[in-house]
């Protein structure tokens, strides 16, 4: 692809542990793709979510699985667009369209349009004054079941003081609805879209929980289901509800 630019672009491979760009952007995994000093693809874009119930690998991200022809074409098209913009002198435009912040590093609840399974639209204005818990999960993720049950208990305990938004990735709507029917709690049940995923920083592992305070600021993020998850998250929740 680079050869098609006739010498106007060059490909450079760096060890991320020695790369000044990687250090500047806080990239600690690979692969990450830069065009000049614009980060256009993060490790999350090629990342893996985990194992399905049958042991198969479930992958997520804009270009996952990268071996898939459609994923490769999508990556090629995005990268070409970035290179063309920068060569044309439109680096600011390229940077605005480039990779999002790393997962969990969103500073506040994003200004993104969220539509639940029943077609109801949820905005930041609708959540004003409440603590918001956003759970990324998947129907094929066994630990997610326990996480959702625990969140259901929290919702029952705190009522309208807390809003819970569950965003399912790589999951069929029927499976999401089945889980909602089983739990019978007033969550906002959402099937993720590329826009929603990017707005929250392209979360690349499930379960992932983000906590936002009453002002919409990010108060905490919790990856996976470690033994201390409930204690740490509930301590944080209690502090932001004061």
């Amino acid at each position: 692809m680079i050869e098609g630019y006739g010498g106007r672009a060059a490909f450079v491979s760096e060890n991320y542990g020695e790369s000044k760009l990687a250090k500047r952007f806080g990239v600690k995994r690979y692969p990450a793709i830069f065009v000049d000093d614009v980060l256009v693809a993060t490790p999350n874009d090629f990342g893996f979510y985990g194992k399905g119930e049958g042991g198969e690998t479930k992958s997520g991200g804009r270009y996952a699985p990268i071996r898939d022809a459609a994923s490769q074409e999508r990556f090629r098209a995005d990268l070409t667009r970035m290179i063309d913009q920068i060569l044309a002198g439109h680096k600011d435009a390229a940077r605005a369209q480039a990779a999002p912040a790393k997962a969990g590093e969103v500073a506040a609840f994003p200004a993104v349009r969220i539509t639940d399974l029943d077609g109801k639209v949820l905005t930041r204005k609708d959540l004003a004054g409440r603590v918001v818990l956003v759970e990324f999960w998947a129907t094929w993720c066994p630990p997610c079941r326990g996480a959702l049950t625990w969140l259901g208990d929290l919702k029952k305990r705190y009522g309208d003081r807390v809003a819970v938004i569950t965003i399912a990735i790589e999951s069929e709507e029927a499976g999401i609805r089945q889980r909602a029917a089983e739990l019978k709690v007033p969550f906002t049940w959402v099937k993720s879209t590329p826009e929603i995923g990017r707005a929250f920083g392209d979360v690349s592992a499930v379960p992932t929980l983000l906590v936002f305070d009453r002002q919409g600021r990010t108060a905490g993020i919790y990856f996976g289901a470690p033994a201390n998850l409930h204690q740490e998250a509930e301590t944080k929740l209690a502090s932001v509800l004061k």
Side-chain angles (χ1 to χ4, degrees):
M1 187 183 82
I2 297 299
E3 292 178 354
Y5 285 93
R8 294 185 300 152
F11 174 72
V12 177
S13 176
E14 295 183 329
N15 182 326
Y16 74 92
E18 301 172 353
S19 169
K20 292 182 179 180
L21 279 173
K23 292 178 180 178
R24 173 179 166 186
F25 284 85
V27 175
K28 298 179 180 179
R29 296 183 293 120
Y30 64 87
I33 310 297
F34 296 87
V35 178
D36 277 1
D37 60 348
V38 177
L39 176 60
V40 300
T42 71
N44 289 336
D45 291 317
F46 309 94
F48 294 99
Y49 288 123
K51 296 288 185 179
E53 294 179 23
E56 73 279 14
T57 298
K58 291 285 188 176
S59 59
R62 288 185 292 167
Y63 311 122
I66 193 57
R67 293 192 179 120
D68 185 79
S71 297
Q72 292 181 16
E73 183 57 33
R74 188 162 53 250
F75 173 59
R76 181 185 295 272
D78 287 350
L79 184 57
T80 297
R81 185 172 65 255
M82 293 294 105
I83 294 174
D84 289 345
Q85 287 189 336
I86 290 177
L87 287 176
H90 305 312
K91 182 175 286 190
D92 288 342
R95 186 173 286 113
Q97 299 175 32
K102 292 182 293 182
E105 291 195 1
V106 288
F109 192 94
V112 61
R113 181 186 178 91
I114 296 176
T115 304
D116 70 11
L117 294 183
D118 295 323
K120 181 180 178 181
V121 177
L122 185 70
T123 67
R124 287 193 300 186
K125 185 177 180 180
D126 299 318
L127 300 168
R130 287 192 288 172
V131 171
V132 181
L133 307 179
V134 177
E135 175 80 350
F136 281 86
W137 68 290
T139 55
W140 44 261
C141 164
C144 294
R145 298 179 182 180
L148 289 173
T149 299
W150 164 64
L151 286 173
D153 292 339
L154 289 182
K155 178 62 179 174
K156 292 173 183 176
R157 187 188 315 170
Y158 292 107
D160 290 338
R161 299 171 66 194
V162 171
V164 180
I165 303 172
T166 66
I167 302 177
I169 56 177
E170 290 208 342
S171 301
E172 297 297 328
E173 182 174 327
I176 304 172
R177 288 187 178 278
Q178 179 180 348
R179 188 59 178 143
E182 292 170 353
L183 281 179
K184 298 179 181 179
V185 288
F187 291 168
T188 296
W189 296 92
V190 179
K191 182 176 180 180
S192 189
T193 65
E195 293 74 22
I196 291 174
R198 285 181 62 78
F200 283 95
D202 276 354
V203 173
S204 62
V206 289
T208 289
L209 173 67
L210 294 95
V211 179
F212 299 92
D213 66 17
R214 295 180 186 274
Q215 289 72 45
R217 300 170 300 200
T218 302
I221 180 169
Y222 306 90
F223 297 101
N228 61 347
L229 168 65
H230 295 184
Q231 179 181 353
E232 289 192 4
E234 289 189 31
T235 299
K236 175 62 68 176
L237 181 57
S239 70
V240 295
L241 280 170
K242 289 182 179 179

